[in-house]
Amino acid sequence: MLALSRKENESIMIGNDIEITILEVKGEQVKIGITAPKSVPIYREEVYAQIKEANKEAASDTAQDTLKNLFQ
């Protein structure tokens, strides 16, 4: 993991297309802004984990059911 220090209104770049800007620091909370192409999905980590788990369950259940039905 790369750890960088930034102050309000300072940014970091990821590649050529993604810019992360520190908008506000208030107590223990940091507000960030992300500028990225629309083709790049951006999720909070906990939402991303839920999406991955839901996709994994759906793919597993659906694939197994489909295969069972095909070979019966």
Side-chain angles (χ1 to χ4, degrees):
M1 174 190 299
L2 172 64
L4 300 171
S5 296
R6 298 278 74 199
K7 296 178 182 175
E8 284 186 29
N9 299 314
E10 292 183 337
S11 299
I12 61 169
M13 295 297 299
I14 300 175
N16 294 321
D17 297 336
I18 301 172
E19 179 180 12
I20 299 176
T21 304
I22 305 304
L23 301 175
E24 181 180 9
V25 179
K26 200 184 272 188
E28 293 186 15
Q29 196 168 43
V30 177
K31 186 181 287 186
I32 62 171
I34 302 169
T35 304
K38 290 187 183 279
S39 61
V40 176
I42 301 171
Y43 303 104
R44 294 187 327 242
E45 186 276 333
E46 64 274 13
V47 172
Y48 182 72
Q50 290 175 347
I51 292 168
K52 277 180 53 175
E53 185 61 31
N55 286 342
K56 189 173 164 184
E57 288 176 14
S60 175
D61 293 344
T62 304
Q64 288 178 7
D65 290 344
T66 302
L67 286 173
K68 283 179 187 175
N69 291 335
L70 284 174
F71 292 111
Q72 287 183 349

